[in-house]
């Protein structure tokens, strides 16, 4: 078939060209003799000698054979495709029937047989009564026999039901540990480059991957009274969306990931990786299940810190303290803010300042007293120059927040249904609830079992410039340490500067565009602290004029 087609492709142009040349020669000869022939001889239309028709016959046979072969090939191909389609549809329908039959319990026939066997001792027990002989004492009663017969049936039914349940995948080509923004972004990038990739995300949280920034910003400014249930907010462009990156329909069930033909992203919620075997390329979950992988990403983020004076203060103090990090923390703090008179936020970083502004806005409506205290001279004093720190502190005060600067907590106690916070300079603050926003500790629990290096100064995983800890293990976590850390840290600070100085009461992430452009054009220059300070001051002045 392929040979005929190739011959046809080679001979057809030659035949057309030769026929055209013959016609042109005959017409040219007729014009030269001052007459046009009424018909063109067939012999002159051929490339063979005049009067010979053998080559034309061969050519006609060759064309006919190629045509017949093409038709035959098309018919065979269409029939094969139709047959494969029917087989595929049959396989899908049989798969559904098979899964439905696996859920069913044992058929009734074996059950009747077992019950008849269980009732057999009753007949034996009745027979001695007819002969007036007492039954033996050691003879088991009919009820006991029925229970003994039912016991193995129940065990078998449970085992069969357990076997019929789909099992979790034992292997994942791409394993992502952690269910935060980094894991979702990695899964999306992997699928963009490999549409058939199978990605498994393992997270110890009960929720699908979601955005954490709105928990301390946009959700607090929503007018919807049921925002704690819907978790929807308005973006800077006015459009409303959920904090979840994608709806549940976007993800593949973890049990079906191995058999997914087109791949997909599956999420194991409520599971924690407790051990990592780097040499064996596998991990162990908290339920002793093992999952092997080809490539792995550690994106476990950080664990919120708490003050030691609070941890040592007792159960009553800990019960009235919120360590803000997850969706449940947002819901509980929202409930507390509606049913209490005063809240004190300890910490002057990004999270503490954002929560202070959010709760301060609510204080104008409910009369809630919001206090923020920190050991620095101003808000975000550890990352901002003094000029910008003072400017930010004034913005927080305008939201109705009482700011206590240079406040170092000495002790916390519970007296007369109030929390009493004593500072080292002798000041005392009485409040109903405490929010501890004093930073994060890098989550490096897997470092010991995996044998990964942890930096002694910053506490994060040690990685190379490509964020690799091993050849097939990457780390995107809190404070990953590499030789490029200084430049990355400066870029992060500049992004946060534009966020906080954009002129809005609630910061928006879109205002980091200026910093991205500046970073791309002068990345080497931004590694200098003087360059960072001058750029930050200029951005602050520009946004102050805009406000």
């Amino acid at each position: 078939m392929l040979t005929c087609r190739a011959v046809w492709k080679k001979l057809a142009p030659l035949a057309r060209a030769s026929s055209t040349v013959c016609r042109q020669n005959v017409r040219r000869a007729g014009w030269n003799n001052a007459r046009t022939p009424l018909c063109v001889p067939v012999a002159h239309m051929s490339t063979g000698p005049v009067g010979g028709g053998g080559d034309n016959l061969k050519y006609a046979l060759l064309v006919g054979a190629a045509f017949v072969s093409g038709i035959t090939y098309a018919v065979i191909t269409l029939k094969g495709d139709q047959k494969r389609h029917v087989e595929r549809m049959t396989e899908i329908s049989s798969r559904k029937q098979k899964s439905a039959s696996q859920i069913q319990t044992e058929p009734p026939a074996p059950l009747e047989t077992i019950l008849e066997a269980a009732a057999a001792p009753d007949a034996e027990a009745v027979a001695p009564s007819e002969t007036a002989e007492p039954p033996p004492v050691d003879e088991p009663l009919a009820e006991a026999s029925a229970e003994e017969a039912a016991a193995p049936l129940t065990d078998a039914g449970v085992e069969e039901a357990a076997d019929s349940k789909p099992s979790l995948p034992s292997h994942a080509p791409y394993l992502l540990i952690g269910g935060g923004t980094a894991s979702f972004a990695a899964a999306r990038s992997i699928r963009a480059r490999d549409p058939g990739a199978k990605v498994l995300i393992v997270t110890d949280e009960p929720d699908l991957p979601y955005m954490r920034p709105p928990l301390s910003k946009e959700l607090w400014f929503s007018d919807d009274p049921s925002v704690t249930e819907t978790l929807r907010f308005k973006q800077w462009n006015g459009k409303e969306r959920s904090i979840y990156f994608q709806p549940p329909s976007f993800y593949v069930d973890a049990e079906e990931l191995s058999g997914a033909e087109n791949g997909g992203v599956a999420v194991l919620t409520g599971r924690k990786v407790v051990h990592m075997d780097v040499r064996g390329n596998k991990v162990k979950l908290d339920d002793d299940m093992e999952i092997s992988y080809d490539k792995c990403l550690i994106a476990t983020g950080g664990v919120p810190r708490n003050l030691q004076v609070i941890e040592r203060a007792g159960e009553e103090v800990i019960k009235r303290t919120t360590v803000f990090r997850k969706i449940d923390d947002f819901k509980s703090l929202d409930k507390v803010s509606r049913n209490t008179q005063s809240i004190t936020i300890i910490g002057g970083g990004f999270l503490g300042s954002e929560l202070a502004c959010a709760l301060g806005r609510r204080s104008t409506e409910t009369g809630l007293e919001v206090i923020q205290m920190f050991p620095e001279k101003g808000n975000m004093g550890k990352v901002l120059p003094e000029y910008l720190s003072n400017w930010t502190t004034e913005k927080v005060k305008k939201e109705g927040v009482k700011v206590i600067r240079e406040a170092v907590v000495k002790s916390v106690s519970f007296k007369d249904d109030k929390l009493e916070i004593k500072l080292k300079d002798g000041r005392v603050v009485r409040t109903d609830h405490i929010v501890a926003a004093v930073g994060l500790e890098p989550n490096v629990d897997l470092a010991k079992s995996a044998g990964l290096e942890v930096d002694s100064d910053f506490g994060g995983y040690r990685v190379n410039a490509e964020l690799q800890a091993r050849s097939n293990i990457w780390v995107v976590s809190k404070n990953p340490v590499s030789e490029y850390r200084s430049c990355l840290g400066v870029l992060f600070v500049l992004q946060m500067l534009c966020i906080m100085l954009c002129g809005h009461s609630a910061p928006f992430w879109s205002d980091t565009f200026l910093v991205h452009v500046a970073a791309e054009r002068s990345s080497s220059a931004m590694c200098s602290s003087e360059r960072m300070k001058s750029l930050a001051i200029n951005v602050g002045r520009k946004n102050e004029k805009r406000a």
Side-chain angles (χ1 to χ4, degrees), residues 442 444 446-448 451-462 481:
V444 292
L446 295 176
K448 185 176 181 180
L452 302 178
E453 295 81 7
V454 177
D455 189 80
S456 58
D457 296 330
F458 301 101
Y461 290 94
R462 293 195 66 88
V481 181

Side-chain angles (χ1 to χ4, degrees), residues 425-438:
D425 57 3
R427 290 178 291 180
V428 177
V429 177
R430 293 177 60 84
T431 185
D432 294 324
H433 196 83
I434 293 177
V435 178
V438 291

Side-chain angles (χ1 to χ4, degrees), residues 177 273-276 283-284 298 300 443-452 461:
I177 304 175
V273 178
V274 296
H275 182 81
M276 190 171 187
V283 299
K284 185 178 181 181
I298 301 176
T300 51
N443 188 352
V444 292
D445 294 341
L446 295 176
K448 185 176 181 180
S449 62
L452 302 178
Y461 290 94

Side-chain angles (χ1 to χ4, degrees), residues 323-391:
V323 181
F324 200 88
R325 178 65 174 170
K326 304 178 181 179
I327 293 178
D328 292 339
D329 301 328
F330 164 72
K331 293 181 179 180
S332 63
L333 185 59
D334 178 79
K335 184 178 180 180
V336 168
S337 65
R338 299 180 186 276
N339 300 298
T340 193
Q341 296 180 354
S342 64
I343 295 178
T344 299
I345 301 170
I346 302 178
F350 292 104
L351 179 60
S353 301
E354 291 167 0
L355 289 176
C357 291
L359 294 173
R361 177 69 65 87
R362 179 169 293 184
S363 66
T364 58
E365 303 173 358
T366 62
L368 176 68
E369 181 186 16
V370 181
I371 304 172
Q372 184 185 15
M373 59 174 62
F374 42 81
E376 296 81 25
K377 294 183 179 180
N379 288 76
M380 294 181 290
K382 291 184 178 180
V383 295
L384 296 182
E386 185 177 357
Y387 165 79
L388 293 177
S389 178
N390 295 334
W391 182 88

Side-chain angles (χ1 to χ4, degrees), residues 119-165:
D122 293 338
E124 297 178 357
V126 173
S129 62
E130 296 177 356
T131 58
E133 294 180 1
V137 179
D138 297 334
E139 185 178 357
L141 298 178
E143 289 79 2
S145 299
E147 293 176 359
E148 292 175 1
L153 175 64
T154 304
D155 295 340
V158 172
E159 291 178 359
E160 183 180 358
D163 295 338
S164 64
K165 291 181 180 180

